[in-house]
Amino acid sequence: MRLTTAIKPRPATFKHIEAELYGYHETKKEIRRLREEILSGGQRDDDDNTGAGSNSTRTPGRPTERIATRLMTDKRLRNLEEIVEAIDNIYDSVPDHYKEMINIKYWSNKNFKWSEVANECFVHPNTATKMRSEVITLIADKLGWR
C-alpha cells in the first residue's frame, strides 16, 4: 500500500530526517528543557539599569507577555517543535504495521538491521525499506523539506 505520491527527498534530507527519528525522544526532552529555561527566566532582557533609582525611566514589567513572546519567537524551540509535530502527525496517520516498524527501527534502542526489522514486522525486507522510504517522504513533505 502506497501512502504518498510526494517527490522523494534528496539523500541528505533523507538522512537528516532519519537522524531526527532516531533522536525523537531526545528532541522532546530538549523542547521541555528549553521551555523550562524560558519559563524560569533563563533568558534575561538586556537591561543595564539594575539600580532602579527614583529617577529611573523604567516602565512596569509585563513578565507574562515577555515569556509568551519568548516561547513564540525562540527559533531553536520553534524548529524542534515543528520537527516533533511533523513526526507525531505522520506517526498518528500511518497504519499500525508502519508504527511497529518505526518503533522497532528508530525507537527501540536496539541497532536492528533492516532485515531484522522486516523479520520483527513479518514483512519482506524490500517491503520494510519501502515503508521506511514512505515514512521519510511523508515527514519531509510535512516539513516542506526537499
Side-chain angles (χ1 to χ4, degrees), residues 7-126:
I7 298 171
K8 213 172 179 183
R10 292 182 292 192
T13 303
F14 195 96
K15 288 180 186 233
H16 185 133
I17 292 171
E18 271 202 313
E20 294 296 347
L21 278 167
Y22 281 117
Y24 171 80
H25 296 293
E26 288 302 316
T27 301
K28 288 183 84 167
K29 287 179 191 174
E30 177 71 3
I31 289 170
R32 284 193 294 277
R33 188 193 65 72
L34 284 170
R35 286 180 151 277
E36 183 58 38
E37 182 179 299
I38 291 169
L39 291 172
S40 68
Q43 298 175 346
R44 297 279 181 213
D45 290 334
D46 294 335
D47 187 359
D48 294 332
N49 184 4
T50 56
S54 60
N55 63 351
S56 175
T57 58
R58 285 188 198 212
T59 56
R62 295 177 135 175
T64 304
E65 289 176 11
R66 276 197 314 266
I67 289 171
T69 301
R70 284 188 202 135
L71 285 172
M72 296 302 293
T73 60
D74 188 289
K75 287 181 182 180
R76 186 173 44 169
L77 177 62
R78 188 64 216 133
N79 184 38
L80 294 176
E81 287 175 335
E82 186 177 316
I83 291 167
V84 166
E85 287 170 16
I87 292 171
D88 286 343
N89 185 279
I90 298 307
Y91 183 83
D92 291 341
S93 70
V94 296
D96 289 340
H97 58 287
Y98 281 72
K99 291 176 185 175
E100 183 181 10
M101 180 271 300
I102 292 168
N103 286 320
I104 291 169
K105 179 62 179 173
Y106 299 109
W107 299 342
S108 70
N109 293 326
K110 296 179 182 170
N111 198 10
F112 283 123
K113 295 178 181 166
W114 280 105
S115 59
E116 296 168 322
V117 172
N119 285 337
E120 292 287 321
C121 294
F122 304 106
V123 296
H124 190 274
N126 290 349

